[in-house]
Amino acid sequence: VQLQASGGGLRQAGGSLSLSCAASGRIFSSAVMAWFRQAPGKEREFVALTRWSRDSTLYAGSVKGRFTISRDRAKNTVYLQMNSLTPEDTAVYYCARGSQWTTQQDEYFAWGQGTQVTVSS
């Protein structure tokens, strides 16, 4: 499975942005899809995850209530809707696929190329 992330861009604080992650190939029902991000000079961190086959989600505390992860199985695509953006959300955002319900990035074995999100104050 290859992942292609898109939708990044520049927004002002308080704005919204929607990211997409299109997957090629079959995604098994047991898969877990996640978003991570890496800000300049910082380590990559967990943002959100969802099960491919069920409406279960988990969010990092810093984005809970502002970001929403969802998936469209018919389109083989995972989304990240980001609202109330702040400059602290500036980062390269990566989508990833794994098989475990975990926030640990080492457990994810397929990664998209990343898409830049920049939020100005």
Side-chain angles (χ1 to χ4, degrees):
V1 173
Q2 291 186 329
L3 305 176
Q4 181 75 31
S6 62
L10 173 64
R11 289 291 185 275
Q12 289 188 332
S16 298
L17 201 58
S18 181
L19 305 183
S20 298
C21 175
S24 62
R26 179 183 177 186
I27 299 179
F28 292 98
S29 59
S30 59
V32 174
M33 304 297 292
W35 288 94
F36 291 80
R37 68 185 182 186
Q38 187 167 20
K42 295 186 177 181
E43 294 187 355
R44 188 159 57 186
E45 64 175 4
F46 165 76
V47 175
L49 63 84
T50 184
R51 291 192 185 278
W52 185 246
S53 60
R54 287 156 48 186
D55 290 331
S56 299
T57 58
L58 183 67
Y59 297 92
S62 59
V63 307
K64 192 171 184 180
R66 300 188 298 122
F67 290 11
T68 302
I69 187 171
S70 61
R71 77 277 186 268
D72 186 330
R73 295 172 65 185
K75 295 183 178 180
N76 247 25
T77 300
V78 177
Y79 304 96
L80 185 68
Q81 176 65 40
M82 304 184 295
N83 299 326
S84 301
L85 287 165
T86 73
E88 288 68 38
D89 295 319
T90 295
V92 177
Y93 284 71
Y94 299 89
C95 58
R97 179 202 164 190
S99 58
Q100 301 296 321
W101 184 260
T102 179
T103 63
Q104 299 303 308
Q105 58 181 303
D106 291 345
E107 297 294 332
Y108 291 82
F109 47 79
W111 291 82
Q113 84 287 5
T115 184
Q116 176 71 47
V117 172
T118 302
V119 183
S120 62
S121 58

